[in-house]
Amino acid sequence: HVQLVESGGGSVQPGGSLGLSCAASGEWLHLYYMGWFRQAAGKEREAVAALSLRGTTLYAESAKGRFTISQDRDRYILYLQMDDLKSEDTAMYYCAADRRQGAWFGLRQDAYSVWGQGTQVTVS
């Protein structure tokens, strides 16, 4: 059973930066691709960024140029570096993972089977 635990959320003023981490534990972690998603109050959950097993990245348009997804493959930690934060970035941020074989589904939420509990990011 794979478990994900996010950390690094907090409050920051517009233009500031935050770095989020997602620690993964369990079996077959080297076979899991991962992504970051977020859900703002009153909004549906949306994709932020995703990382394939081969290192390919995808970003939501709102995150492109400001956010960077990366992974420490030795420690199985997923990161999301967020720069130039805006008020509209305020949301609960979740990391997610999946190991289905075949195509990488990137930002497609229903392709991810394992989810963390989230960490709150507030920009104001």
Side-chain angles (χ1 to χ4, degrees), residues 46-68:
E46 63 180 6
V48 177
L51 181 68
S52 79
L53 295 177
R54 300 187 184 278
T56 301
T57 59
L58 284 176
Y59 294 94
E61 193 65 31
S62 60
K64 195 171 299 181
R66 299 187 298 121
F67 294 3
T68 303

Side-chain angles (χ1 to χ4, degrees), residues 74-124:
D74 294 329
R75 300 175 63 195
Y76 296 106
I77 301 175
L78 184 72
Y79 299 101
L80 183 68
Q81 178 63 39
M82 304 184 293
D83 298 317
D84 191 25
L85 284 162
K86 307 176 185 298
S87 60
E88 54 262 41
D89 296 317
T90 296
M92 184 73 74
Y93 283 71
Y94 301 89
C95 66
D98 195 86
R99 72 177 189 95
R100 72 181 69 204
Q101 295 184 321
W104 173 52
F105 291 93
L107 301 177
R108 179 176 167 179
Q109 295 188 48
D110 60 2
Y112 293 82
S113 59
V114 183
W115 293 79
Q117 290 297 110
T119 184
Q120 178 68 38
V121 172
T122 302
V123 185
S124 63

